[in-house]
Amino acid sequence: MVVFPILSALISALCCAMIVRDAISKPRPDKIAWAIAFALFAIAAGIEAIGSLREWTPALVRTYYLTGAVLVVGFLALGQLYLLAGKRIARFAPGVAMGVTAFAATLVFGASVDQTKLAE
């Protein structure tokens, strides 16, 4: 059923826009992390809709897995860490987040995808 991924993508994109608007007026790093998380989830839900309507390709599967299954939780957690630890993590958290993102992307996009199972 493709209705749920489409609704999820739209709602997540709306949440992202609202958090970005709030972050512009009152900038805080937790808002930026959460905006990124909502954008990642919107991308994943949009890809799920596209894959359901058309056919899944290795690039779609990899991007869906990276954005929806791997990165979104990390950026939600980063936002929470900014609330809990604030200035104690501000110096190294962005670098760690970028490093983990690059490492995860390398692993996911380097993984093999069984094309015969995509059709199922």
Side-chain angles (χ1 to χ4, degrees):
M1 185 170 231
V2 75
V3 173
F4 293 121
I6 291 172
L7 286 175
S8 295
L10 293 174
I11 291 168
S12 297
L14 180 63
C15 288
C16 177
M18 291 173 60
I19 294 171
V20 166
R21 186 183 72 201
D22 190 42
I24 290 171
S25 65
K26 297 175 190 171
R28 289 190 356 218
D30 56 300
K31 293 178 185 178
I32 303 300
W34 287 333
I36 292 169
F38 274 106
L40 289 167
F41 190 83
I43 291 167
I47 288 172
E48 183 179 352
I50 291 168
S52 297
L53 288 172
R54 296 184 181 174
E55 77 177 38
W56 286 94
T57 65
L60 282 177
V61 170
R62 287 182 178 112
T63 306
Y64 173 76
Y65 187 77
L66 179 66
T67 57
V70 177
L71 295 179
V72 71
V73 173
F75 279 95
L76 286 173
L78 178 62
Q80 187 66 29
L81 282 173
Y82 273 122
L83 283 179
L84 297 174
K87 294 180 181 183
R88 290 181 286 181
I89 67 161
R91 290 185 184 195
F92 63 88
V96 171
M98 295 302 288
V100 169
T101 299
F103 180 69
T106 302
L107 288 178
V108 170
F109 281 99
S112 63
V113 175
D114 187 352
Q115 299 231 12
T116 59
K117 292 186 179 183
L118 288 181
E120 298 173 11

